Amino acid sequence: MTDILANAALGFGIALSWNNLLFCLIGVTLGTAIGVLPGLGPAATIALLLPITYRMDAIASLILLAGIYYGAMYGGSITSILVKVPGEGASVVTCLDGYAMARKGRAGAALGLSAFGSFIAGVIGTIGVFLLGPPLAAVALAFGPAEYAALVIVGLVLVTHVAQSTMTASLLMIAAGLLLATLGVDPIYGTERFTFGQLDLFDGIPVAILAMGLFGVAELLSVASSRSGVPKPLAQPSRVRELLPSREEWRQSAPAIARGTGLGFFLGLLPGGGALIASFASYVIEKRLSRHPEQFGQGAPAGVAGPESANNAAAQAAFVPLLSLGIPANVVMGVMMGGLLIQGIQPGPRLLETRPDLYWAVICSMLIGNAMLVILNVPLISIFVQLLRIPFAVLSPLIIMFCVIGAFSLRNSAFDVALMIAFGVAGWAMRRAKYDPAPLVLAFVLGDILERSVRQALLVGQGSPAIFLQRPISAGLLALAAALLAWPAVRWLQHRSRRLADGKGGARGEAERALGVPPSAPPLPGASLKHPAP
Amino acid sequence: MLALIGAGAAFEAWAYGLWRARSPGEGLYPFMAALAVLVLATTSLVQTVNGRADATLAGDEGDAGPPQWRKIGLYLAGLVALAALLPVLGYWIVTAAALILILRGAKRLSWRLTITVTAATALVTYLVFERLLGLALPRSTLF
């Protein structure tokens, strides 16, 4: 206990200096702006700012860069909620219910839940890092390629529960996402795959291009193609009180925030797609535990609060493997690690001994940064909501141009703009055919991790797939995935046998209602899936 | 369409090689994914033909009714022209042309509003991207 207090005193003493407070503020503000703007991501921004940090103090530079990272998590949800354009991969899930809440005139409440949920998760996550970080980091060492592959498979199974179309359509979208992820250079042998000689495709498809196309451009085309050419009018709140979450929305969201925080913190410790998996794992869990799962996808507050809390908690926890083990959890951490190495600082187990000031100052600055973010974002909610009053005929071209610039700025390539537009057309066609693009994007992000992990595991196991069952964590995760996959079929068989035993005929839906079974029980492939009106 | 893509991708992936030296080759993983796309797309097509896949996709109120092909055509023409001409004519000219095509042609806004929105978009994007973030917007290669 004395050690914890001493570390806290050391950390806050450094983090609360005027210089470090200023850089923390700059970092979170810039991060929020980066998160809002589609296409630009924290990794690119941090890479752009690295040369500036050469002349800065190591602690200040890391505080600045860290602020950009978790600030982007806050900002990414804003465009997801207001215009259904995810600013970050982890904000894709927020599009599902956040945008639906905005359509119902509850944009302010959605933004508020996102901001406060992220703040609570950020604070608890940071405290968790403080207290449990170094010991828990050792758990991450137990995860090898086989375990990561199994974890991603669990994630892909969870994706089927996020999707809002039939099981067949969801699986098709997942397969399409996995196939798209193979485009580019083979990760093991370096061979070109599906590039057809196009240089711009050697590095694969940036996820931002895919997300902006399938969500942003497709949404605009969808509205443009409708008879009225505008989305249904939004009910706009007029009083400040109505802009924030109601008591009932808080009541529904509080457990989701708590669960999302725990889930996000644990998954964020794992190098890989922790934040992304955490956000939609949280969504699936909340949908499963909800008494009204049919409301998910229609504007359920827990569908916003849970995933946003999870991805922010994961963002805090991602610093643990970087600082304690020297293992970057994702691309952003990798770039930050580069910055540390340039400053002559070696992240890893000895960092706590050699530079305890840096370690604890960065952790403490995350608490301060989260407070700054909620102070910055909450008063802006009313301004963000006013953006929805702009006529859609004026707003849509602005969104398109921002997407175009965002797409171009990734690699200074007009090809990326063309690619985004092509995905936009594909996304529009998918919507008309009742295919949900969310599973495709999520599978796309996980696909690369899955392939690398599977192939590395098979290399370790000398070509034998038995390695996945020989390692206990991997075997356990695969068993979980099998159970999650089989569960809907088991429930369907149970309902069917009860219906036959009762001798009641009629539609499946009538039988479910009679038995008190939630109507969201996933159907078998091919069965229809209609969500009753809330 | 997806079934055709899956079939083509599976054929291409097969050519990359499925196995090499006791480990998966470059083509195994994409081959499996392509095969899954082919099978599932075919299944989905059969279900659609049989009328069993009639899911309602949440939030698709914009898709109600037959599409307005003229509007879509103008929108797409604007976007395709934007992507094709961006490296040639640069950001400013192409943006103005695309916005005029979309706002005036597809959305039938007045000239005053069209020009106002176009000018405002140019100003905002310039301030945010070039001044604030230091990102160079595409320049023309002709002049």
Side-chain angles (χ1 to χ4, degrees):
Chain A
M1 187 64 178
T2 313
D3 284 343
I4 293 172
L5 290 173
N7 293 332
L10 173 65
F12 279 113
I14 300 171
L16 286 172
S17 68
W18 287 113
N19 188 56
N20 289 332
L21 279 175
L22 176 64
F23 281 115
C24 187
L25 181 63
I26 293 171
V28 299
T29 307
L30 194 55
T32 304
I34 294 304
V36 167
L37 295 170
L40 295 167
T45 309
I46 290 170
L48 284 170
L49 291 173
L50 269 182
I52 298 175
T53 63
Y54 297 166
R55 292 177 223 145
M56 289 168 57
D57 170 60
I59 295 175
S61 67
L62 195 54
I63 288 174
L64 170 71
L65 299 179
I68 292 173
Y69 177 52
Y70 52 83
M73 296 296 154
Y74 275 74
S77 61
I78 295 174
T79 48
S80 298
I81 291 167
L82 295 182
V83 293
K84 206 178 180 182
V85 177
E88 294 295 321
S91 302
V92 168
V93 179
T94 307
C95 284
L96 302 177
D97 281 270
Y99 185 65
M101 284 185 72
R103 307 292 312 134
K104 289 180 179 178
R106 298 301 295 155
L111 290 170
L113 284 173
S114 170
F116 285 113
S118 295
F119 170 70
I120 294 167
V123 169
I124 296 175
T126 305
I127 293 172
V129 170
F130 215 99
L131 299 175
L132 306 169
L136 280 181
V139 174
L141 287 176
F143 273 69
E147 286 75 15
Y148 278 112
L151 180 65
V152 170
I153 289 171
V154 170
L156 288 173
V157 173
L158 289 174
V159 169
T160 63
H161 295 269
V162 167
Q164 299 172 40
S165 47
T166 63
M167 182 65 80
T168 309
S170 303
L171 289 171
L172 175 57
M173 288 296 101
I174 290 171
L178 293 176
L179 182 60
L180 268 177
T182 64
L183 197 152
V185 171
D186 177 79
I188 306 290
Y189 296 113
T191 318
E192 297 166 31
R193 294 187 304 194
F194 305 118
T195 60
F196 305 109
Q198 183 68 250
L199 276 174
D200 291 295
L201 292 176
F202 274 26
D203 287 332
I205 301 170
V207 65
I209 300 291
L210 187 69
M212 282 194 287
L214 288 180
F215 284 91
V217 178
E219 175 73 15
L220 294 171
L221 284 175
S222 177
V223 172
S225 71
S226 67
R227 187 164 295 278
S228 64
V230 293
K232 286 181 185 169
L234 298 174
Q236 295 299 331
S238 55
R239 293 182 290 184
V240 172
R241 198 171 38 184
E242 293 173 355
L243 286 171
L244 295 176
S246 65
R247 189 170 294 181
E248 174 61 21
E249 285 164 340
W250 275 118
R251 191 190 63 77
Q252 292 178 28
S253 303
I257 291 171
R259 286 188 286 261
T261 300
L263 184 68
F265 181 77
F266 175 70
L267 290 177
L269 290 172
L270 305 174
L276 177 66
I277 297 178
S279 64
F280 66 81
S282 170
Y283 187 88
V284 169
I285 288 171
E286 294 313 315
K287 188 174 178 180
R288 284 284 155 209
L289 294 176
S290 173
R291 290 183 189 172
H292 301 283
E294 71 280 359
Q295 290 177 3
F296 279 72
Q298 314 286 338
V304 175
E308 284 298 314
S309 303
N311 80 39
N312 206 47
Q316 315 301 314
F319 284 90
V320 173
L322 172 68
L323 296 176
S324 304
L325 300 174
I327 302 173
N330 49 47
V331 173
V332 178
M333 292 297 145
V335 178
M336 274 202 258
M337 183 170 173
L340 283 173
L341 290 171
I342 289 169
Q343 295 260 3
I345 297 168
Q346 176 67 51
R350 288 183 49 77
L351 187 68
L352 262 175
E353 297 170 16
T354 57
R355 290 297 304 267
D357 56 335
L358 182 141
Y359 187 95
W360 296 116
V362 170
I363 304 295
C364 292
S365 76
M366 289 199 274
L367 270 174
I368 299 168
N370 274 285
M372 286 179 178
L373 279 164
V374 78
I375 292 169
L376 275 173
N377 280 279
V378 170
L380 292 176
I381 286 176
S382 59
I383 297 173
F384 288 135
V385 171
Q386 295 309 313
L387 289 176
L388 296 175
R389 293 183 183 271
I390 299 174
F392 193 75
V394 174
L395 193 60
S396 59
L398 290 174
I399 296 171
I400 286 182
M401 295 320 302
F402 268 66
C403 286
V404 164
I405 298 169
F408 181 84
S409 66
L410 277 173
R411 299 187 292 190
N412 270 358
S413 167
F415 182 82
D416 286 342
V417 178
L419 205 55
M420 181 191 68
I421 294 169
F423 281 126
V425 175
W428 172 74
M430 282 161 53
R431 282 177 59 119
R432 290 204 66 85
K434 311 297 184 195
Y435 289 118
D436 186 358
L440 192 153
V441 176
L442 295 171
F444 175 84
V445 177
L446 293 175
D448 186 56
I449 303 169
L450 178 64
E451 183 181 8
R452 282 173 200 269
S453 304
V454 166
R455 291 174 69 178
Q456 285 170 357
L458 287 173
L459 279 170
V460 169
Q462 297 187 336
S464 168
I467 188 172
F468 294 104
L469 299 176
Q470 287 166 353
R471 296 178 69 94
I473 297 177
S474 169
L477 287 170
L478 286 175
L480 175 64
L484 286 171
L485 211 49
W487 180 241
V490 167
R491 288 185 69 185
W492 182 84
L493 284 169
Q494 284 177 337
H495 300 154
R496 187 165 176 270
S497 63
R498 277 188 213 160
R499 196 168 69 233
L500 289 173
D502 288 345
K504 289 181 182 175
R508 170 175 172 272
E510 291 171 359
E512 285 175 341
R513 279 191 290 276
L515 292 169
V517 173
S520 70
L524 285 181
S528 67
L529 179 68
K530 283 197 192 295
H531 296 290
Chain B
M1 175 70 86
L2 278 172
L4 288 173
I5 291 172
F11 181 77
E12 183 77 13
W14 182 277
Y16 295 145
L18 301 186
W19 201 260
R20 104 157 59 176
R22 291 205 294 176
S23 66
E26 304 93 305
L28 178 65
Y29 187 84
F31 178 77
M32 289 167 60
L35 212 59
V37 168
L38 175 61
V39 168
L40 289 165
T42 307
T43 306
S44 184
L45 180 64
V46 168
Q47 289 169 354
T48 304
V49 167
N50 289 341
R52 290 169 68 190
D54 54 354
T56 300
L57 195 57
D60 64 353
E61 62 267 10
D63 293 325
Q68 302 295 297
W69 292 111
R70 180 182 169 277
K71 276 190 208 172
I72 294 177
L74 284 168
Y75 238 100
L76 283 177
L79 292 175
V80 169
L82 193 152
L85 297 173
L86 199 60
V88 180
L89 298 178
Y91 174 75
W92 305 109
I93 296 173
V94 169
T95 300
L99 286 178
I100 289 171
L101 184 66
I102 291 171
L103 294 174
R104 182 72 189 147
K107 295 189 178 293
R108 305 280 198 188
L109 298 185
S110 66
W111 274 111
R112 180 184 292 182
L113 191 56
T114 298
I115 291 170
T116 304
V117 171
T118 302
T121 303
L123 182 64
V124 168
T125 49
Y126 170 74
L127 288 175
V128 170
F129 289 95
E130 286 221 346
R131 300 294 290 184
L132 199 62
L133 295 173
L135 283 171
L137 293 172
R139 295 283 190 263
S140 167
T141 53
L142 294 180
F143 38 78

